[in-house]
Amino acid sequence: MEDVKILQIMPAEGWVAVYDGGDDGEMEEPLACFALVQVDYKNGDGPQTEVRGMAPDEKLMAFVEDAENFVTVRRAEESEDDEEEDETDTED
């Protein structure tokens, strides 16, 4: 078991957690924030610092990496409106 201490929290606007949805493919969930954490894995290496994503889990905030079906964290896909806007800007 690891000891985790949150040192700082920063907004994660525009980022999503990606989960394996089995036959349904990947599922995305917006992140609420990134947490800078100090983790002691009790392996003799001492405390380490990491950045972990967090999202609501019922009434609590949870580290997304702790989910069994967690795959990765990535930028949210741009909406079609954003892509069309970019295309018209480059046509000039």
Side-chain angles (χ1 to χ4, degrees):
M1 188 69 179
E2 63 198 38
D3 290 331
V4 180
K5 178 180 178 183
I6 295 176
L7 303 175
Q8 185 177 3
I9 293 177
M10 44 253 126
E13 186 175 326
W15 289 86
V16 294
V18 180
Y19 301 95
D20 180 2
D23 293 338
D24 295 332
E26 290 183 340
M27 302 179 307
E28 293 182 351
E29 176 183 45
L31 290 181
C33 61
F34 286 110
L36 176 65
V37 298
Q38 184 178 55
V39 184
D40 189 349
Y41 289 104
K42 306 290 185 186
N43 60 5
D45 290 341
Q48 303 171 26
T49 53
E50 300 176 356
V51 175
R52 294 188 179 181
M54 297 187 80
D57 182 19
E58 295 183 20
K59 294 184 178 184
L60 303 171
M61 290 294 288
F63 294 114
V64 296
E65 293 86 352
D66 291 345
E68 288 182 21
N69 61 339
F70 173 77
V71 176
T72 190
V73 171
R74 68 176 170 223
R75 281 254 184 221
E77 306 249 344
E78 291 183 357
S79 70
E80 290 180 23
D81 293 339
D82 291 342
E83 290 174 6
E84 289 174 8
E85 194 174 293
D86 290 343
E87 288 174 9
T88 55
D89 287 346
T90 57
E91 289 176 8
D92 293 335

